């Protein structure tokens, strides 16, 4: 007598569970998005639970069920923003195989809305919330590794000694930090932001060319 095999389709109970989980995650993400907007617009202290719920929908109780309170929700917002920056950088670098396109992509992401929002969120609560600086400290090495590895992998990046390669990486990271600072503080106007990025690109391109000439000259003397 042949035994009937088990169906590969999920039973009704599993399907209901998956739908319920999907709804829960969607509700959680709506709360995070609403909180992000409120925190960036009004700041942590001025933002109320009602401000967030009025945008996300649901109730105050829903927010407390998912996050326990405003501080934990703020941490979730920062974590999500950090993920967004990493994802944005990875996507931008996927098609940047030459130095010019790589540098443009890096500066666009570094001075973009997500990166600046992340910095603002961290600065506002870093002294009151111990976990916020930790999120930032964990994210920065990921971003730096993506940037530096892609820089060295560009098809037109010259063969240079390790000290020069590291010096170029350091110069790029300092240029990024400077551009972010100018945008964060408002010292750069709307038109100046693009000019700052172009300046960083010009300086790094000139430094690469100088290092390449120095390496070629050294090899010639040897």
């Amino acid at each position: 007598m042949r035994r009937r095999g088990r169906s590969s389709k999920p039973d009704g109970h599993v399907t209901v569970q998956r739908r319920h989980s999907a709804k829960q995650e969607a509700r959680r993400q709506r709360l995070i998005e609403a909180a992000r907007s409120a925190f960036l617009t009004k700041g942590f202290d001025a933002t109320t639970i009602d401000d967030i719920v009025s945008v996300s929908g649901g109730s105050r109780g829903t927010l407390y069920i998912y996050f326990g309170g405003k501080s934990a929700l703020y941490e979730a917002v920062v974590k999500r923003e950090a993920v967004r920056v990493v994802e944005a950088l990875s996507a931008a670098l996927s098609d940047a195989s030459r130095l010019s396109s790589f540098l443009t992509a890096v500066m666009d992401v570094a001075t973009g809305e997500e990166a600046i929002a992340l910095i603002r969120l961290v600065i506002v609560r870093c002294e009151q919330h111990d976990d916020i600086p930790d999120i930032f400290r964990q994210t920065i090495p990921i971003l730096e590794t993506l940037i530096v590895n892609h820089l060295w992998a560009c098809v037109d990046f010259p063969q240079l000694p390790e000290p020069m390669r590291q010096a170029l990486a350091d110069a790029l990271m300092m240029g990024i930090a400077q551009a972010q600072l100018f945008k964060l503080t408002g010292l750069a106007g709307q038109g100046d932001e693009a000019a700052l990025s172009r300046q960083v690109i010009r300086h790094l391109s000139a430094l690469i060319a100088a290092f390449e000439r120095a390496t070629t000259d050294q090899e010639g003397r040897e």
Side-chain angles (χ1 to χ4, degrees):
M1 187 174 179
R2 295 178 60 184
R3 299 178 62 182
R4 298 177 65 181
R6 300 180 68 179
S7 172
S8 60
K9 295 182 180 180
D11 59 33
H13 179 67
V14 173
T15 300
V16 170
Q17 282 186 321
R18 289 177 178 173
R19 288 175 180 171
H20 182 64
S21 296
K23 287 181 180 180
Q24 285 183 320
E25 182 58 24
R27 193 176 296 118
R28 184 176 183 276
Q29 290 303 319
R30 284 197 299 271
L31 284 166
I32 291 174
E33 288 300 321
R36 176 188 186 274
S37 177
F39 289 143
L40 288 171
T41 302
K42 301 178 67 174
F44 179 84
D45 292 332
T47 297
T48 66
I49 298 298
D50 289 334
D51 290 332
I52 298 167
V53 173
S54 66
V55 175
S56 67
S59 65
R60 294 169 59 92
T62 301
L63 187 149
Y64 283 106
I65 288 172
Y66 284 105
F67 298 101
K70 195 167 69 168
S71 292
L73 178 54
Y74 194 91
E75 182 179 341
V77 170
V78 174
K79 286 181 178 178
R80 182 69 187 98
E81 205 66 20
V83 171
R84 277 181 169 163
V85 175
V86 173
E87 290 175 344
L89 182 62
S90 298
L93 295 182
S94 62
D95 295 325
S97 60
R98 303 188 69 84
L99 281 169
S100 58
S101 58
F102 160 77
L103 292 172
T104 299
V106 167
M107 295 308 300
D108 284 349
V109 174
T111 58
E113 196 270 339
E114 290 92 351
I116 299 303
L118 174 61
I119 296 171
R120 288 178 58 197
L121 289 165
V122 170
I123 289 174
V124 168
R125 295 292 294 171
C126 64
E127 293 184 357
Q128 294 82 13
H129 199 308
D130 293 339
D131 291 336
I132 299 299
D134 289 339
I135 296 169
F136 194 65
R137 281 192 289 266
Q138 291 164 10
T139 304
I140 292 302
I142 296 172
L143 296 172
E144 289 182 347
T145 298
L146 277 172
I147 292 170
V148 172
N149 287 347
H150 205 95
L151 169 64
W152 294 340
C154 287
V155 295
D156 52 342
F157 187 81
Q159 294 294 322
L160 297 173
E162 180 60 28
M164 290 185 178
R165 287 158 60 95
Q166 190 57 55
L168 286 170
D170 292 343
L172 176 56
M173 299 311 298
M174 286 189 289
I176 290 171
Q178 182 185 37
Q180 289 176 329
L181 178 62
F182 270 74
K183 184 164 184 178
L184 186 66
T185 57
L187 293 176
Q190 190 66 34
D192 295 334
E193 294 170 4
L196 273 171
S197 293
R198 289 195 297 270
Q199 184 181 59
V200 172
I201 293 171
R202 283 198 307 272
H203 287 174
L204 197 75
S205 298
L207 191 56
I208 290 172
F211 281 172
E212 186 175 18
R213 287 194 300 271
T215 301
T216 301
D217 292 345
Q218 180 66 29
E219 291 173 348
R221 287 193 294 271
E222 293 176 354

